Amino acid sequence: MSEKYLFTSESVTEGHPDKLADQISDAVLDAILEDDPDGRVACEALLTTGLVLVAGEITTDCYVEIPDVVRRTVREVGYTQASFGFDFETCGVMTSIQKQSPDIAMGVDTGGAGDQGMMFGYATNETPELMPMPIMLAHRLARQLSAVRKEGALPYLRPDGKTQVTVEYEKEGERIRPVRIDKVLISTQHDPTVPQPTIREDMIERVARPILPPEMLDARTKYLTNPTGAFSVGGPHADTGLTGRKIIVDTYGGMARHGGGCFSGKDPTKVDRSAAYMMRYIARQVVAAGLADRCELQIAYAIGQREPMSVFVETFGTEKIPIAEIGRVIGRYFDFSPYAIIEKLDLRRPIYRQTAAYGHFGRTDLGVPWEQDDMAETLRAAVGV
């Protein structure tokens, strides 16, 4: 007997204040890695009306003009007019940077983890990207909202925006599958002179319908747009933005567990980032190989140590071979030391700013190495599936 339930995930546009902070942090990281692949970066950004504060620990042999990086990022996102309450030309930029703690550095210098903590990776076969459907649809809507703004198709749009998608699932035993979209929410910053009925029609016709799969829509699907009735004040003028406050948007939309550490502004010696990427990569290989329909991995590290404290595999009853065998084949073919992860995924490159909006996972559009299935056939052959 089957049962049905609803699951919701959200995304935000690149102009959301927290996402803008993430992009600034990763733009600084990329600028340093461009000239110094071994640079150590832990960079945070805070944004509010008329101000960007960049703080953190950076150890590098190169020089980066951080205010220029900040202003370029703000401009590219779309904060180009003072009437938005925040813009790249008039915002103040303050920096407070120091070197990495020598106590941390001596552990990282020998190839150990840059901090303690646990990281998760997840994959599911419910979408071609091997991601949960709610978060993938929410990201697509957010990207489409930004695209129509940047194209000038809807000139009243402003950079800040949020999306949310509720998907109905059907569960039979351990098997779950998405069957329909129940609700769609689009909130967008806008020119205050534009009436909400116009915005609602445009959001449905120009943003939602080109993106949402028609076979998942029906007469019961509900659309919500700007539920408070207005969203004319937005961005850092309306809400303080901080690096690392959208960790569920960045990952699996709440469908999988999260270790708590953010990604943006951290160089790959920080296992919060690199190990989470590796866990996604391995989970993706397991599902792509057909060893399980869903796979979640947890890994944990002690600061300064090369080997993980533990690795845990969960397949939610969807495994095609015993979980212990999946664990053994993972241990045989993958090295979990921070150095090995960095080398395997080629992470000492300026590739991070592009991941700082619309999700770090399921990004088959970016060609990032943790979204490749290059080990799936090897795993399949190893277990004879």
Side-chain angles (χ1 to χ4, degrees), residues 145-180:
L145 178 56
S146 286
V148 296
R149 171 180 63 85
K150 291 182 173 182
E151 292 164 1
L154 301 175
Y156 63 80
L157 293 180
R158 292 178 176 176
D160 198 356
K162 304 179 79 172
T163 63
Q164 196 162 279
V165 178
T166 300
V167 173
E168 183 178 292
Y169 282 83
E170 185 175 76
K171 186 175 189 292
E172 295 184 41
E174 300 301 332
R175 181 175 178 266
I176 65 169
R177 66 185 184 95
V179 293
R180 57 180 293 273

Side-chain angles (χ1 to χ4, degrees), residues 187 225-231:
S187 293
T225 60
N226 291 353
T228 68
F231 188 0

